[in-house]
Amino acid sequence: GGTRRVPSWCDRVLRSKLYDNIVDQRRVETLHYDSCRTVVTSDHKPVYAVFKTTARRQHIFNLASKDGNELKSVIQLFDLRAIGLKSTDPEGNLRPYLQVLSNLTPNTPQLRTSSDSNTLNPVWEHEVLTIVPEIPDPKYLSSECLYFIVYDDDVWSGAEVLGQGVLNIECPSGSKSLCAGFNIPLYDEGGIEGYLKGSISISRHKPEDVQGLRSGVGTTKVPIDPGFVTRRSIYGSG
């Protein structure tokens, strides 16, 4: 109403992380949390917190060996499908598509699939999303994640978010490769709105073997020597 009062202090400290992002969760540690009890000018006591976090230099381009013979890393996503999406269209006219974001290719446009029509269980199994990281170092890749967003490609109101999820990258060391299936929950407004399933391969190659390969969407999978592949049935959350 018309009550006039002294503005209140903020009485909470919030921090957030990407959904189910284990890497991001480990980077922040709460060291101290307390209130200033001597402040009496408000019905709320101001609070403060001290956090410990690990900051990384982004986009360091001098990690390659001087002779240019360092193995190149290639990440591919395929057999992609979403399950159990919730409709945002009262008439059920959905055209879902998947977009993939990451810090691995800052100078490359965002990757996205085509739109599937009139379904809450879209399938993009014939599309292969390829990511060629600008920094191929396995330790760096293992500190990163892939961020997925499923949109409804609505021609009238624009793209609407149907769900979003995170897949942490676990890059093999040396010349080994990884091929695994994953099943991650898709969130929106705090709740699970479906699941994203698919396969991921993370492979290491000699520069001449992947010369000309660029990040993008296509239909071709990069050949991987089966003798150097680590296979897992489920990769990620869910």
Side-chain angles (χ1 to χ4, degrees), residues 100-112:
V100 183
L101 310 176
S102 74
N103 290 324
L104 304 177
T105 55
N107 299 318
T108 301
Q110 300 165 351
L111 299 179
R112 60 155 289 180

Side-chain angles (χ1 to χ4, degrees), residues 4-127:
R4 304 180 67 179
R5 55 185 292 181
V6 176
S8 296
W9 290 92
C10 176
D11 61 354
R12 56 183 57 84
V13 178
L14 303 179
R15 68 177 178 89
S16 65
K17 67 180 182 66
L18 295 175
Y19 293 121
D20 288 337
N21 185 357
I22 300 173
V23 174
D24 187 61
Q25 186 178 24
R26 291 172 180 169
R27 287 186 186 145
V28 181
E29 177 185 357
T30 303
L31 299 181
H32 188 68
Y33 178 83
D34 204 351
S35 63
C36 301
R37 299 176 178 83
T38 58
V39 176
V40 295
T41 56
S42 168
D43 57 354
H44 287 180
K45 301 298 183 184
V47 297
Y48 64 94
V50 179
F51 299 99
K52 178 181 178 181
T53 184
T54 301
R56 296 180 295 104
R57 293 178 60 190
Q58 298 287 333
H59 318 321
I60 307 172
F61 298 108
N62 61 352
L63 292 180
S65 58
K66 295 182 179 179
D67 58 8
N69 292 323
E70 183 181 25
L71 294 176
K72 301 294 184 181
S73 296
V74 177
I75 300 174
Q76 290 197 308
L77 303 162
F78 48 95
D79 296 336
L80 297 167
R81 65 180 63 221
I83 298 175
L85 298 176
K86 307 294 177 61
S87 176
T88 59
D89 191 314
E91 298 181 359
N93 298 321
L94 293 179
R95 300 181 68 244
Y97 69 87
L98 175 67
Q99 188 173 71
V100 183
L101 310 176
S102 74
N103 290 324
L104 304 177
T105 55
N107 299 318
T108 301
Q110 300 165 351
L111 299 179
R112 60 155 289 180
T113 66
S114 60
S115 301
D116 202 355
S117 298
N118 298 325
T119 177
L120 295 175
N121 301 288
V123 177
W124 308 285
E125 61 184 357
H126 299 299
E127 299 180 61

Side-chain angles (χ1 to χ4, degrees), residues 132-189:
V132 183
E134 297 188 16
I135 302 177
D137 180 68
K139 290 184 179 180
Y140 169 77
L141 297 181
S142 294
S143 70
E144 290 294 332
C145 66
L146 300 177
Y147 182 41
F148 299 97
I149 309 177
V150 178
Y151 289 99
D152 174 19
D153 192 7
D154 193 312
V155 296
W156 299 107
S157 59
E160 299 182 26
V161 175
L162 298 176
Q164 48 196 323
V166 174
L167 182 64
N168 297 293
I169 299 175
E170 298 179 19
C171 187
S173 60
S175 60
K176 292 184 178 181
S177 298
L178 170 70
C179 185
F182 64 85
N183 177 16
I184 62 174
L186 297 171
Y187 295 89
D188 191 40
E189 298 182 352

